[in-house]
Amino acid sequence: MKAVFGLVCAACCWTAIMVAAEPVAVRLDAPEVRRQLNNTTRKLTETGELVFQHAAPAKSWIGIPIDPALIAGRELLFSVKVGAEGLPIPVANGNGIMVQLHYTKTDGREQFLRLNVPNANSPLTRHSLKVFFPEGVKKAGLDLALLNVSGTARFSSPMFRNALPVKDFSKFTVAGATDREEALYRENEPMKFRFQALNDGKPVEARLRLVRAGDDGKEESRIIEVAPDRPLEYVTSLDRPGYVMVRAMLLDENGEPVRRVPRPGAGARPVQYGLAAGVAPEKLRQGVPEPEDFDAFWQEEIRKLAAVPLKVLEKKAVESDDAVDVFDVKLSCAGARPVSGYLTVPKAAKEGQKFPLRLRFDGYSVQSAPLYRDSGYITFSVNPHGIENGREAAYYRELQHSVLAGYGFRNEENQSPLTTYFHGMILRGLRAAEFIKTLPEWDGKKLEIIGGSQGAFQSVAVAGLTGGVTGCSIQIPWFCDLGGIKVGRVRGWRPDPAPGLLYYDTVNFAGRVRCPVRIDAGLSDWVCPPSGVRVLYNNLRCDKELIFRQGLDHAVYFGYDRNATPRVIAKEAGK
């Protein structure tokens, strides 16, 4: 293979990217780069590494211009080696290591393309991004940065090359297992993880990216070649109660994640598999104590809700069959929006038969409430936002990109429990529970609450703040142990820490729940990490059961078999 090289175009002072069959380097020693060095926070080593070094949180940034004539109208693979040490883990969203391509079209529109580089302390590892640059690019560049953190980031060997043809990965999966089915270990005891790439169920050669994250705050990322007789074997440990999560992602010939569509209408997902192992999870406690006035706050909010009389604002027939009648219902509520949802009533209720109640909440989204048709229950499926149900897709897209864009993640709103978005959501859930208990078709005995993800957070909150609930069943519960990142635990997907959010942490509602609770969750759920779920379980004082499944992410991995995967079960009577 020919040596990689870069050129400087003296006439225009662009760092030129010569695109050919061979890789071509972006020069980190070009004059445009050297002018931005200061030998304190930004320097260039003799080995050609660009190093950002911060003794305290700071922002360092270097921009490298790219000649647009050499990239316009081309599909290229950009890659760069990135390593780090001394980074605080976890790193807040938007901070840390940044690698970004950008270009401006002749019409003035800008496009920013950010590489998915983990904020992990690790040796130099190559990361890549396949990009199509359209015709009409008038300006382009590469940005390398270390933002608002202490520590050291290293960048080396950025380059472009033509993207290689990609083979057929339509039957590929990744499989994995730990050396213990129960995946429980002592402190500092070796945990062994093993992964294979499969094509139509048979082991094959492949390239896998392994990512490790643990409740010790340590992160690691590396790329490993595997073969049929040489799987990926990874050994790690944990020195405290908590979990280590490890996943392996299939990469194509360009080093890009292989993506497949799991089902018609769904978005493409990486082909990967995840596992986790734990140490003394029964000892896990929440990272930050609940607010001292937690009960007083919610008593006051419930009082405010009671001051708004319960009224059925609308009850519109939606459909009817031999088993059920379905109504679109709106209820009065404290706050800006009403309660809205679908009420399903069994047909037999018209003949005087009584039925148990089910209150249902669903995940983070902006859409209609789901409609459940169960002839054995009266079911109220509650929209988290109090918006219209059953509308056209454009209605929900408009809300998703306007008033409900990024709901719950606005830092300024989350400073107070009264202004966070979840305040109205929980009040609507409490009003829905109040309403469903007034229905004359109820048997007066049984009220179950069911929810998944965000809906599990709502379910536990409502079960903890309202009486008469006889059972709570939740899946992949979200918003658990929000303070866990303060003690180094895996972050998951959640808003930045803010004082107002502690009044909505699922684990803080848990101790108020008096009915039996069943939790189904994934040991390798990178949205809702297992430590937070286990803290939720530990905080419950009622009859409780937790079923953890290996290989279960928030959205299921390819190759995951619910019936065959190892399960870790905890079960206790109420205290």
Side-chain angles (χ1 to χ4, degrees):
M1 178 171 286
K2 298 178 182 178
V4 298
F5 61 95
L7 300 175
V8 176
C9 175
C12 58
C13 294
W14 293 104
T15 298
I17 310 303
M18 300 294 294
V19 181
E22 298 293 331
V24 178
V26 180
R27 281 181 49 182
L28 294 180
D29 62 347
E32 299 94 324
V33 178
R34 289 188 177 277
R35 282 195 289 270
Q36 300 173 70
L37 302 177
N38 59 14
N39 291 322
T40 53
T41 60
R42 303 184 299 278
K43 60 185 178 181
L44 193 66
T45 70
E46 293 182 358
T47 58
E49 292 179 14
L50 184 61
V51 178
F52 294 80
Q53 195 164 25
H54 297 166
K59 181 184 293 186
S60 296
W61 190 302
I62 282 183
I64 307 172
I66 298 170
D67 184 353
L70 299 174
I71 61 173
R74 296 176 181 268
E75 184 174 57
L76 303 172
L77 186 76
F78 172 77
S79 66
V80 61
K81 290 183 179 180
V82 181
E85 56 261 7
L87 295 184
I89 302 297
V91 175
N93 284 350
N95 293 333
I97 300 168
M98 188 191 77
V99 178
Q100 179 177 266
L101 294 167
H102 60 86
Y103 62 85
T104 304
K105 297 177 66 176
T106 52
D107 61 6
R109 286 186 292 181
E110 289 185 286
Q111 180 70 44
F112 294 88
L113 306 163
R114 192 162 179 173
L115 271 70
N116 184 22
V117 177
N119 282 301
N121 293 308
S122 64
L124 285 170
T125 302
R126 186 165 290 281
H127 300 271
S128 61
L129 178 68
K130 186 164 60 176
V131 182
F132 174 74
F133 293 95
E135 298 286 356
V137 173
K138 69 175 185 179
K139 185 178 180 181
L142 166 66
D143 299 320
L144 303 175
L146 184 61
L147 304 175
N148 303 316
V149 294
S150 58
T152 301
R154 302 179 183 276
F155 303 92
S156 175
S157 308
M159 64 177 65
F160 283 88
R161 65 175 170 84
N162 291 327
L164 297 173
V166 175
K167 66 183 179 183
D168 180 11
F169 288 101
S170 60
K171 294 184 179 180
F172 273 65
T173 57
V174 178
T178 57
D179 63 321
R180 295 181 186 175
E181 185 164 318
E182 78 281 7
L184 293 175
Y185 300 80
R186 295 187 300 275
E187 290 184 10
N188 297 309
E189 185 179 12
M191 302 170 168
K192 299 179 181 179
F193 299 83
R194 184 173 182 171
F195 295 93
Q196 282 184 307
L198 307 176
N199 185 7
D200 202 15
K202 299 177 182 178
V204 292
E205 292 184 357
R207 183 185 302 174
L208 300 177
R209 174 180 290 144
L210 179 138
V211 177
R212 183 257 200 216
D215 290 333
D216 52 4
K218 297 177 182 177
E219 296 185 1
E220 184 177 359
S221 176
R222 62 174 72 171
I223 295 174
I224 300 173
E225 305 283 344
V226 298
D229 61 344
R230 192 182 70 252
L232 188 164
E233 294 184 338
Y234 178 74
V235 180
T236 188
S237 63
L238 188 65
D239 62 358
R240 68 198 70 186
Y243 290 90
V244 170
M245 302 173 66
V246 181
R247 64 181 173 189
M249 177 185 296
L250 183 67
L251 303 179
D252 65 19
E253 290 85 346
N254 295 306
E256 285 286 282
V258 174
R259 297 179 181 273
R260 286 171 40 199
V261 177
R263 61 186 182 279
R269 288 185 51 77
V271 176
Q272 59 184 351
Y273 199 76
L275 302 165
V279 170
E282 70 281 357
K283 296 181 180 180
L284 278 171
R285 298 294 178 263
Q286 61 199 81
V288 174
E290 68 178 42
E292 293 183 1
D293 64 340
F294 183 88
D295 288 319
F297 171 80
W298 281 109
Q299 288 169 5
E300 175 62 15
E301 298 315 293
I302 291 171
R303 186 194 65 77
K304 293 177 184 176
L305 178 63
V308 179
L310 170 60
K311 294 181 181 179
V312 178
L313 304 177
E314 182 179 297
K315 186 178 180 182
K316 181 172 59 179
V318 173
E319 64 177 62
S320 180
D321 57 26
D322 293 339
V324 296
D325 293 316
V326 181
F327 304 92
D328 190 354
V329 172
K330 290 187 179 66
L331 308 171
S332 59
C333 189
R337 298 195 193 111
V339 178
S340 70
Y342 284 126
L343 177 67
T344 302
V345 181
K347 269 283 203 297
K350 293 181 177 179
E351 300 171 1
Q353 188 173 341
K354 304 293 185 180
F355 290 89
L357 301 176
R358 272 186 176 163
L359 189 60
R360 303 196 67 134
F361 302 98
D362 283 86
Y364 189 101
S365 63
V366 180
Q367 60 184 12
S368 174
L371 198 160
Y372 296 94
R373 303 171 183 85
D374 190 333
S375 61
Y377 288 82
I378 300 167
T379 302
F380 192 27
S381 173
V382 182
N383 191 302
H385 309 295
I387 59 178
E388 299 283 339
N389 296 304
R391 290 284 300 273
E392 68 284 358
Y395 168 77
Y396 301 106
R397 281 198 303 270
E398 168 61 24
L399 289 172
Q400 186 177 10
H401 292 98
S402 56
V403 294
L404 295 181
Y407 72 84
F409 281 73
R410 300 164 190 155
N411 289 337
E412 66 279 6
E413 292 181 354
N414 292 336
Q415 299 308 306
S416 165
L418 293 173
T419 56
T420 180
Y421 185 81
F422 302 109
H423 178 258
M425 185 183 292
I426 298 306
L427 291 184
R428 289 188 289 273
L430 292 172
R431 176 51 53 96
E434 178 186 355
F435 161 72
I436 202 170
K437 289 187 288 185
T438 68
L439 297 175
E441 298 90 348
W442 180 33
D443 65 10
K445 300 176 182 177
K446 192 172 182 180
L447 167 56
E448 296 178 358
I449 302 182
I450 300 174
S453 190
Q454 176 186 272
F457 147 65
Q458 294 172 267
S459 296
V460 176
V462 173
L465 296 177
T466 194
V469 181
T470 57
C472 183
S473 178
I474 57 176
Q475 299 79 43
I476 50 176
W478 188 50
F479 233 52
C480 296
D481 189 27
L482 300 180
I485 62 173
K486 297 284 189 180
V487 294
R489 292 179 190 150
V490 178
R491 178 188 178 103
W493 183 75
R494 41 142 297 167
D496 290 333
L501 293 180
L502 293 178
Y503 294 82
Y504 299 87
D505 194 323
T506 310
V507 306
N508 290 336
F509 293 112
R512 281 81 180 168
V513 177
R514 295 293 174 261
C515 66
V517 176
R518 175 187 165 112
I519 306 171
D520 283 273
L523 270 172
S524 186
D525 189 334
W526 292 69
V527 171
C528 303
S531 53
V533 177
R534 182 65 199 218
V535 171
L536 169 63
Y537 175 84
N538 291 347
N539 279 12
L540 291 166
R541 298 292 177 262
C542 50
D543 291 353
K544 56 186 179 180
E545 181 177 17
L546 168 62
I547 300 176
F548 266 137
R549 287 179 167 84
Q550 286 284 24
L552 177 61
D553 195 8
H554 211 68
V556 175
Y557 293 125
F558 291 100
Y560 169 78
D561 184 343
R562 184 180 181 88
N563 296 317
T565 185
R567 297 189 301 166
V568 180
I569 301 175
K571 190 172 184 177
E572 294 180 34
K575 299 176 183 178

